[in-house]
Amino acid sequence: MHTRVVDGRAAVVREVRAAAPLLAERAVPLPARGPWLTAALNARAGRPFGRVRPHAVVVERDTHSRPAGAALLSFRRRGVGTVVGLLGAEPGPLPPGRPQSRLAAQDDDVAARLAAGVIGLLDQVRGPWTLRLTGLPLGDPTVRHLAAGLPDSQLATTRSRRLVDELDTVADVSRSRDPGEVERWLPAVLAQLPTGQRTFVRAAARLHAAIGELEVAVVPAADGPRALLLTLLDRGADGEERWPWWGTSEIGGLRRELGAPSGTLTAAAGLTQLGRRGALSRGAAAG
């Protein structure tokens, strides 16, 4: 097997496209697939002073094969240190209620190589760094190998609250997957979001609407919508699954309940720790 690392927006976009068959094969959730990640990259491209740089760690079985494993990461400078997270997890609100991210790997051997590649990339970071990978499924094999290779790391389990759509029980709701209707109501959605999230949500909503993976639900009124809901439509082998993403209502019909658990891996290193661990993990990643 072969491990390689690319960085920069254009190179990572190519890797996201190349990894599409792998992501489909592993049934990764929508926020870890190409349209969402493309929206995240585009949103970051409009912030020249955001100091965020994407990286991709890719495992291939040989130099002519499709990716067998991929970790798509974001590196953000904060003071003298670097914060490393999962690409797509930061620019805007994630759909709640179940794991939203994935470190895609075809099998455990690929997961071990992928983890070694991530650790090797961390060893190349100048200065202190903090790694925080959130929204991952419990038992993720790449996370297990990362935890073994980062002895000071910590694993935590969180239980989010999913958004439940019961709008049809309280009012007459207009639902549409038409990109034109999504565009019509998008300004009302964006007006209720923090300024820093609007560019991403606009791009992500438009991209998913264009490929039929977004529904907008509206309870209209003369003075503006009384309820709005964006729902992602996740299509897999078992058919279509609705995943409420963001909503607001003055009349009820939207509630929260406990969702599925997800995992978070955190680790941090200063200059001394990097030097102590560097030679071993770089060699493992390059072999």
Side-chain angles (χ1 to χ4, degrees):
M1 282 188 285
H2 171 71
T3 304
R4 57 187 176 83
V5 176
V6 302
D7 70 285
R9 180 180 176 276
V12 172
V13 166
R14 289 194 294 270
E15 297 302 333
V16 170
R17 291 171 180 166
L22 169 69
L23 303 181
E25 170 193 318
R26 305 309 299 169
V28 305
L30 285 176
R33 294 187 206 164
W36 187 283
L37 299 178
T38 299
L41 287 166
N42 290 341
R44 289 300 182 188
R47 300 180 182 180
F49 302 107
R51 297 188 296 174
V52 174
R53 191 168 182 89
H55 288 69
V57 180
V58 180
V59 177
E60 298 166 329
R61 296 194 183 277
D62 58 62
T63 55
H64 303 291
S65 64
R66 291 177 175 176
L72 303 165
L73 306 169
S74 67
F75 282 58
R76 175 166 51 91
R77 295 292 297 176
R78 178 179 289 176
V80 298
T82 301
V83 178
V84 182
L86 289 164
L87 185 64
E90 192 177 76
L94 288 163
R98 52 187 163 112
Q100 307 104 339
S101 303
R102 193 70 55 87
L103 294 167
Q106 288 181 338
D107 55 40
D108 193 66
D109 289 340
V110 173
R113 183 60 65 103
L114 186 61
V118 172
I119 292 172
L121 179 58
L122 292 172
D123 286 335
Q124 298 174 29
V125 175
R126 294 181 180 179
W129 53 259
T130 300
L131 176 71
R132 181 172 173 80
L133 307 180
T134 63
L136 291 162
L138 302 185
D140 185 291
T142 307
V143 173
R144 185 178 73 251
H145 289 294
L146 277 172
L150 297 167
D152 296 326
S153 64
Q154 294 183 336
L155 289 169
T157 301
T158 58
R159 189 79 176 267
S160 68
R161 299 181 68 83
R162 71 186 186 99
L163 184 60
V164 180
D165 175 10
E166 296 177 339
L167 287 174
D168 292 297
T169 67
V170 298
D172 292 328
V173 184
S174 173
R175 298 180 183 270
S176 178
R177 305 180 184 192
D178 181 357
E181 281 298 295
V182 172
E183 192 68 28
R184 175 188 175 190
W185 294 106
L186 200 49
V189 172
L190 299 178
Q192 300 192 52
L193 291 172
T195 302
Q197 295 183 353
R198 292 174 186 172
T199 298
F200 168 75
V201 171
R202 182 187 296 111
R206 286 172 173 170
L207 279 171
H208 285 88
I211 58 177
E213 292 183 348
L214 184 74
E215 177 193 271
V216 61
V218 185
V219 178
D223 57 349
R226 302 186 68 192
L228 279 168
L229 175 65
L230 297 179
T231 298
L232 294 167
L233 307 171
D234 197 348
R235 297 191 180 101
D238 298 328
E240 183 178 271
E241 185 175 0
R242 301 173 60 81
W243 194 356
W245 174 17
W246 178 92
T248 182
S249 177
E250 301 173 355
I251 55 174
L254 295 177
R255 62 180 177 85
R256 301 273 182 173
E257 67 179 22
L258 283 177
S262 63
T264 297
L265 172 73
T266 57
L271 295 175
T272 302
Q273 291 169 296
L274 281 171
R276 185 174 67 241
R277 209 188 59 247
L280 174 60
S281 51
R282 274 196 294 271

